[in-house]
Amino acid sequence: MNKTILLLACLVGLVGCSSQYIMSTKDGKMITSDSKPKLDKTTGMYLYYDEDGREVMIKQDDVTQIIER
């Protein structure tokens, strides 16, 4: 019983630490990412994971703002 409560408390703590990020683009799209977009300076592209867990890339020039939700 105590192990179950401890496990649930840890899971709740981990869920509270995860953040979503919203990227706005020049054409007005709002893109939600479950991880912080990472800029690859060699390619000039942001790498992020979408809501379905797929890896996606977008040009740095197309992104106007990144906001943590």
Side-chain angles (χ1 to χ4, degrees):
M1 180 76 169
N2 287 338
K3 288 182 182 180
T4 305
I5 292 172
L6 179 62
L7 179 63
L8 287 174
C10 289
L11 288 174
V12 169
L14 289 174
V15 169
C17 294
S18 66
S19 296
Q20 285 187 330
Y21 290 82
I22 299 174
M23 294 183 287
S24 58
T25 63
K26 288 183 179 179
D27 61 356
K29 292 181 185 174
M30 302 297 270
I31 301 169
T32 303
S33 169
D34 287 335
S35 63
K36 185 174 183 179
K38 296 176 184 144
L39 177 61
D40 182 349
K41 292 184 180 183
T42 59
T43 62
M45 307 270 292
Y46 278 108
L47 172 70
Y48 67 95
Y49 293 93
D50 67 7
E51 293 176 322
D52 296 326
R54 292 178 291 198
E55 186 177 81
V56 183
M57 297 180 87
I58 186 170
K59 291 181 190 177
Q60 179 183 8
D61 295 338
D62 292 341
V63 177
T64 58
Q65 189 175 25
I66 300 174
I67 302 169
E68 184 176 4
R69 186 174 190 195

